């Protein structure tokens, strides 16, 4: 005979399997009395499951969505499907909140039976994603390792290889993962140098140290990534004013390209990094939107030269385009 807890799990699985059951049908499937079914239904309701009942000979029980999320019962195939779906959602940003997808996947993997966890590992090994041009490749499982480190509130030892192929090892206090649409960034506090962002695809290893940490007054992780990626390693930065509200300006110049701040309700100031004045002028012209270069003069002059050359090339008496 099943224990009371096992019987409740079995009953919940049956209720979730089809829209409606009569009391007699449930009693027959579970090999218990009608009275036991009614008592177990009452217990499920106490646990937060919304089970509707209909009186009469053709009435029965129906499980419907409740006001909160109670524990779920999944069979092997369902658990694997949910884990695969969450992993895909985290990688492609389909849910918008990638951190939530990773957090849910971490919770699920902690309770997966070994046989399902092994199948998920086999799926990870067999999966081949065709990346977009210049899209970085992440080592399988790295996102989960980084997300787990963010949840532990524990200092970790980071092995990292930067854009110049320099290898460093440092202790960091993990905080958040940020997805920009093309790349994942790991936000952490370096005890010696302050808050830093690291490209997740360049993380080689992250090991817990066992040293608990408390993070107080953290920065906005998305803003930190936006500011650091926009500035980048560029030797020159230009400040421009777009006659657009912040939301529209972000669509013209993505947050990964520029650092934005409002200039009243209908304008936005954007700082954009570039290799040289001419390169920045070329990028600004490509935006195809009205703007004003506030600084520096070298970028303003380069933009004027390019604009005049473009105008001359399209007038009747101008020189032919070279």
């Amino acid at each position: 005979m099943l224990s009371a807890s096992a019987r409740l799990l079995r009953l919940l699985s049956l209720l979730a399997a089809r829209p409606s059951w009569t009391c007699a049908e449930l009693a027959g499937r579970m090999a218990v009395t009608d009275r036991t079914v009614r008592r177990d239904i009452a217990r499920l309701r106490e646990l937060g499951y919304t089970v509707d009942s209909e009186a009469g000979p053709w009435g029965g029980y129906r499980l419907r969505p409740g006001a909160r999320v109670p524990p779920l019962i999944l069979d092997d195939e369902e658990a694997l499907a949910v884990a695969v779906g969450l992993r895909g959602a985290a990688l492609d940003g389909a849910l918008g909140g990638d951190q939530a997808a990773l957090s849910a996947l971490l919770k699920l993997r902690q309770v997966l039976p070994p046989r399902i966890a092994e199948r998920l590992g086999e799926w990870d090994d067999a999966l081949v994603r065709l990346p977009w041009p210049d899209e970085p490749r992440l080592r399988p499982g790295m996102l989960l390792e980084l997300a787990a480190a963010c949840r532990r509130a524990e200092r970790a030892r980071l092995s990292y290889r930067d854009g110049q192929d320099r290898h460093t090892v440092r202790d960091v206090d993990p905080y958040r993962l940020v997805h920009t649409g093309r790349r994942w960034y790991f936000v952490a506090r370096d005890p010696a140098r302050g808050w830093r962002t690291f490209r997740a695809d360049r993380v080689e290893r992250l090991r817990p140290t066992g040293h608990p940490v408390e993070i107080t007054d953290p920065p906005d992780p998305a803003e930190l990534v936006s500011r650091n990626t926009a500035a980048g390693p560029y030797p020159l930065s230009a400040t421009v004013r777009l006659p657009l509200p912040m939301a529209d300006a972000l669509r013209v110049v993505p947050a990964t390209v520029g650092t934005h701040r409002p200039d009243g309700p209908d304008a936005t100031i954007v700082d954009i990094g570039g290799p040289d004045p001419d390169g920045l002028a070329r990028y600004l012209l490509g935006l195809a939107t009205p703007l004003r270069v506030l600084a520096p003069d070298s970028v303003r002059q380069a933009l004027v030269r390019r604009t005049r050359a473009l105008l001359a090339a399209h007038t009747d008496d101008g020189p032919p385009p070279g």
Side-chain angles (χ1 to χ4, degrees):
M1 180 178 294
L2 293 176
S3 66
S5 56
R7 197 174 62 243
L8 285 179
L9 293 177
R10 172 63 175 157
L11 175 59
L12 184 58
S13 179
L14 288 172
L15 288 171
R18 77 183 203 193
S20 180
W21 294 83
T22 66
C23 186
E25 287 174 329
L26 291 172
R29 293 292 291 267
M30 298 174 61
V32 296
T33 64
D34 290 2
R35 181 181 178 184
T36 298
V37 170
R38 287 191 291 270
R39 186 168 60 244
D40 287 347
I41 291 290
R43 288 173 179 165
L44 287 179
R45 288 167 175 163
E46 291 174 357
L47 291 172
Y49 294 93
T50 306
V51 183
D52 292 332
S53 58
E54 298 176 0
W58 303 106
Y61 296 103
R62 178 181 295 106
L63 183 66
R64 66 177 174 87
R68 59 188 178 92
V69 181
L72 294 175
I73 303 301
L74 303 174
D75 63 25
D76 288 2
E77 296 302 322
E78 291 169 338
L80 182 62
V82 171
V84 170
L86 287 171
R87 187 183 186 279
L91 284 174
D92 62 22
L95 299 181
D98 314 295
Q99 194 77 31
L102 285 172
S103 178
L105 182 54
L106 278 172
K107 292 178 181 178
L108 182 60
R109 292 193 74 157
Q110 288 173 353
V111 298
L112 283 178
R115 62 183 182 277
I116 305 301
E118 290 175 4
R119 291 183 62 186
L120 184 59
E122 293 170 357
W123 184 86
D124 284 342
D125 292 340
L127 176 67
V128 177
R129 294 180 70 244
L130 182 62
W132 293 97
D134 300 325
E135 181 185 358
R137 290 180 177 272
L138 272 167
R139 179 169 61 81
M142 176 53 70
L143 279 182
L144 285 180
E145 292 181 27
L146 296 176
C150 293
R151 290 172 57 88
R152 275 195 297 263
E154 179 181 322
R155 186 158 293 171
R157 186 145 298 154
L158 173 71
S159 297
Y160 188 74
R161 191 171 298 277
D162 65 16
Q164 284 71 48
D165 204 33
R166 295 174 300 195
H167 178 264
T168 58
V169 178
R170 69 182 83 186
D171 285 352
V172 297
D173 302 333
Y175 180 57
R176 288 290 187 272
L177 282 170
V178 176
H179 190 216
T180 66
R182 289 186 62 247
R183 293 190 175 100
W184 282 91
Y185 288 88
F186 175 51
V187 177
R189 181 178 60 188
D190 185 326
R193 302 175 59 190
W195 288 97
R196 293 289 182 269
T197 59
F198 305 91
R199 274 180 46 175
D201 56 296
R202 293 176 179 166
V203 175
E204 296 181 333
R205 191 176 182 186
L206 191 72
R207 294 176 296 169
T209 64
H211 175 65
V213 294
E214 181 180 358
I215 294 179
T216 58
D217 194 25
D220 182 310
E223 182 180 340
L224 181 65
V225 169
S226 174
R227 185 169 64 248
N228 288 354
T229 54
Y234 297 117
L236 183 65
S237 178
T239 302
V240 302
R241 183 181 189 273
L242 301 177
L244 300 169
M246 176 79 82
D248 295 335
L250 282 166
R251 284 191 283 269
V252 175
V253 181
T256 53
V257 174
T259 302
H260 302 65
R261 59 185 183 276
D263 185 28
D266 300 318
T268 306
I269 305 297
V270 187
D271 296 315
I272 306 173
D276 51 56
D278 195 60
L280 273 169
R282 184 167 58 250
Y283 174 78
L284 295 175
L285 275 177
L287 296 178
T289 190
L291 57 87
R292 180 183 177 189
V293 177
L294 302 180
D297 286 339
S298 59
V299 174
R300 186 184 302 114
Q301 293 166 6
L303 183 62
V304 170
R305 286 195 302 269
R306 280 191 163 269
T307 303
R308 286 174 175 169
L310 185 63
L311 181 62
H314 290 80
T315 56
D316 294 336
D317 55 350

